[in-house]
Each structure stands twice: as structure tokens, then as C-alpha cells.
Amino acid sequence: MRQRKKWSVRLSLITTLSLIAGGCSNGVPNEGKAEEAKKNVEPVELVFYSVSKDSEENFNERFGNAIRKKFPKYTIKYIQRVPNSTDLQQLLTSGAQIDIQWDSIASFTSSVLDSGTAFDMTDLIKQHNVDLNRFEPSMIDSLNKMSGGGLYGLPLYNDRMALYYNKDLFDKFGVPYPKDGMTWDEIIELSNQVTREESGVIYTGLSPSLNQVFVSNQFSLPLVDSSTNKATINNDTWKKVIDTMLIRPTQNNIYKKKIEQSKGKIPDSNTFVKEKTLAMYTASPLLPVVFAQDMASMNWDVVTFPTFKEMPGVGAQAYPGVISVTKMSKNKDAAMEVIKYLTSDEYQLEASKNGIMTVLKNETIQKTLGQNSAYKDKNFSAFFSKFPAMAEKTVSESKAGVLGKYTTNAMKVVNGEMDINTMLRTTEEEVNNALRSASAK
């Protein structure tokens, strides 16, 4: 909750900025047309929902207040998810009205595709003149595949990974800083050089975000083969990814000692920003937003996501949040106008300035990332390295809890409980059993 509060405070800047209502031509708002458009808007009520459990305050600071300013005749409501009280299926069963949903791409399969709220927005997108060519294409391609050739949602923000590093730790041990474009092999070598134990304190070199090993890797490997509904994990490419991104960085004896002290867990965001004993950590642009106070007292910067030699210059997959018009909405045109605004240059620019990575290809907007923060001189361009395709995601993997099985068994390799070949075979069998069970329900 404390992290959410810090994010709320940070993101409140978005709604206090002077957002000019109206369309843009060459980046210059046309206030006259905007005011005329406001007069022609009919009053409607739009209800938002997300499985994220965001507070109403956070919703208003991220989206609600800006939407109300843009569309003063719209009544904007938000249903906060409270588990066992306002879970999505309970709301749908009760006949609750939901017009717009937004969720991370990881939750999209269950919250939209599997819930019965999915609506093909293709015609609305055309009618409201939303130009799909403005978006990073890997996101649109992925959503198109997930929607069976249509579009059940549009990208809203991007939590893509890059590599943060603590300059003070590199200075402490006389090791050169990481640079843009470095390979995993080079980063692992740096990691070993800064993995030390001094005066009873263990310093570790590199920790990936565990889930991101499986959902952000450059090879765009899906967790499940949609054509066979079977696990993909037991192959040489997955073996290479897991060995490179997770096992090799953590097998230094000093590093193992740290994991033992942490009861079998690898260093995480708290190790990086609070303990300040982790030298490098993969995370999204939201890290300094969520941990604003902690990172203010830290000498840090960011470089591109480490690359594989076979794929020079290619960073992590996009990891977008997705916003959708629901099947049940009685105000689909109004909902589409709101989504058009939230994906506009106007809104995306202000969000970018406040540390929210844009989903647009617009380089002018990309260059503004974090410019309203105390960190405007940081290397935020690192987040915009070349995008690989996004891995296909399926409803069945969500139902069967596939990601959790992959990460749990991968940690058994890190902790020496299982060798990697056994892990690949065991995980494949476990996941396939889970997928069969999920399909039978």
C-alpha cells in the first residue's frame, strides 16, 4: 500500500497539469474545435473497472480527473476491485454495468478474453479515426492475435524492462558502469565483479525480475503453444534463456549465500532501492515512480536491457497495459472517445513526462519520458531499444497458472534442488497436466 500511495502522489502531477482539451494538428491544440466538440457531447455515465485493485484516488489521478476535464458532460465512475466482494465474475453475475476495463497484458486473458466482456473494437476504431499506425506495432500485432484477428483492446501504457544500476556500488568496487548495448555475457561478467561480501554485508551483482524472464525474453517464446495447448518449456531456446537470465547470474558462491539468507528468494526491488546492496536490476520506468523517495537518495542510472548475441540491439518485449470497451456497454461511442483521448498524443505526452512509458512510436513523446521528475537527466532512452515480437498469450495458460509453475520450478534450479534438464521435463509434465485439467472444466 505504501508503494501505491507513493505512485499516487507522483502521478497526481498528471492531473494538475494544464491539459488542453481538443485535437492536435502538428502538435498544436485546436482550442476552437475542441470547445465546439464539447458542446456537442451528450451526457453519459461511464463505469471503469480493473482487476488491479487500484484505489479510487489512484484511478482519479491516473485517468479520472483528466477524463472529466476533457469530457465535462461525462459522469465517470470507477468500481474498485475488492476480493470476495467486487471480483469481476461477481459483478457480471449481479448485472453490474461496466463500460471500460483496463489491465496489464498478463491479466487481459482472464479479465477480458475469458470473462465474456470482450468486444471487437475494430469498427469503433475506424469510426472514431484512431490511427493504429501510431502505436508500437508489436503491441497491436499481439492484441490482434489475442483477439482472433479483431481488436478487443488498445495499448494504454508500457511497463517494458531496462537495466537499472547503482553507481555507488560500481564505484565502491572500482568496476566500470554497464553501458547501452551490452550482452548478457558482458553483464554477467560485471555482475560477478561486484558480487562481494564486506564487513558482513553481501553485495550481489544482477537480479532479473523473475516473472520477466518468462514474459519479456527477446526470443518471444510463448508459455503455451496455442495450436497444441501444451507447454513450450522443454526446448533448447528456453534452456538458454533460463540459464542465461536466471541461473548464471545467481550461481556465484557469495550470491548463493545471499539467497540462503533470503530463504530461497533472489534479490528484488527492495534489495535494489531500499537495502541498496544489489548492483543491477531489470525493471520498468515505474521503478523511480513507485520508489520515488528511496531512489532520490540513490546514485543510479539505467541502460538498455542486456542482449543475446544472436539478436543484437533487441531489448525486452513490450509489456503493455490494455484498455477495452466492454461487450455490455450501452455507451460504446462515448467509451471509444475516452479511449481515443487516453491514447492520444496529448494525454500520452503528459503521462510520459511523469514517468509513464508511452505506447506510441512518436519519438518526440518518447524523449520526454520522466522530464517532469527529478530524474530528467537519466538515460530513459534505454527503454526504447528495438522491440521483439510479443509472445502469444492464451486463456488456457491463465486458467492453468502456467507462469507460476515455470517460475517456481526455475527457482528450484537456482536453489540447487533440481538440475535444469530435470526442471524442463518436470515443468513440461506438470503444466500439461494442469492445462488438460483446465480445459476439462
Side-chain angles (χ1 to χ4, degrees), residues 133-319:
N133 292 319
R134 298 167 53 250
F135 294 84
E136 160 52 40
S138 68
M139 301 183 200
I140 298 297
D141 290 344
S142 176
L143 289 169
N144 186 257
K145 290 176 182 177
M146 293 173 72
S147 306
L151 270 178
Y152 294 153
L154 287 176
L156 179 59
Y157 54 85
N158 190 2
D159 285 344
R160 193 192 194 200
M161 302 287 112
L163 184 68
Y164 289 84
Y165 65 98
N166 185 333
K167 290 184 175 182
D168 288 338
L169 293 187
F170 283 89
D171 292 341
K172 179 181 179 69
F173 300 122
V175 177
Y177 300 150
K179 299 177 181 179
D180 285 342
M182 294 185 80
T183 65
W184 281 104
D185 290 340
E186 292 169 328
I187 290 296
I188 291 168
E189 174 59 29
L190 283 183
S191 174
N192 288 330
Q193 291 182 50
V194 293
T195 299
R196 312 276 186 98
E197 182 173 9
E198 287 195 0
S199 303
V201 178
I202 295 178
Y203 300 92
T204 48
L206 169 68
S207 181
S209 175
L210 182 58
N211 284 352
Q212 300 303 325
V213 172
F214 295 96
V215 300
S216 290
N217 68 83
Q218 287 101 318
F219 292 99
S220 307
L221 298 166
L223 304 183
V224 173
D225 185 332
S226 62
S227 63
T228 62
N229 198 37
K230 291 184 177 180
T232 61
I233 196 166
N234 193 10
N235 66 47
D236 288 340
T237 309
W238 266 124
K239 181 177 180 180
K240 179 184 181 70
V241 167
I242 296 166
D243 182 60
T244 302
M245 294 179 66
L246 184 61
I247 298 173
R248 285 173 55 200
T250 61
Q251 294 307 290
N252 178 297
N253 287 333
I254 297 174
Y255 205 124
K256 288 182 179 180
K257 185 176 178 180
K258 175 66 175 180
I259 293 175
E260 289 175 6
Q261 289 181 354
S262 304
K263 299 180 180 180
K265 296 181 179 180
I266 60 173
D268 57 16
S269 56
N270 285 320
T271 319
F272 184 71
V273 301
K274 292 183 178 293
E275 295 178 17
K276 297 180 174 57
T277 58
L278 174 62
M280 295 178 284
Y281 182 64
T282 58
S284 81
L286 286 179
L287 192 71
V289 176
V290 175
F291 292 98
Q293 184 174 340
D294 296 288
M295 295 191 73
S297 61
M298 184 177 177
N299 186 16
W300 61 273
D301 211 333
V302 60
V303 293
T304 54
F305 198 75
T307 63
F308 285 91
K309 289 182 291 186
E310 306 95 310
M311 306 181 76
V314 177
Q317 293 176 47
Y319 196 75

Side-chain angles (χ1 to χ4, degrees), residues 102-138:
W102 91 93
D103 276 304
S104 72
I105 191 68
S107 299
F108 181 75
T109 51
S110 57
S111 66
V112 173
L113 301 186
D114 192 42
S115 69
T117 66
F119 174 74
D120 187 356
M121 296 162 55
T122 302
D123 288 341
L124 280 178
I125 287 168
K126 291 178 181 177
Q127 291 165 14
H128 290 261
N129 298 315
V130 177
D131 184 1
L132 297 180
N133 292 319
R134 298 167 53 250
F135 294 84
E136 160 52 40
S138 68

Side-chain angles (χ1 to χ4, degrees), residues 24 134 341 343-350 360 362 365:
C24 294
R134 298 167 53 250
Y341 165 60
T343 58
S344 69
D345 286 6
E346 177 187 352
Y347 181 87
Q348 291 280 314
L349 175 63
E350 300 305 331
L360 305 180
N362 187 314
I365 295 176

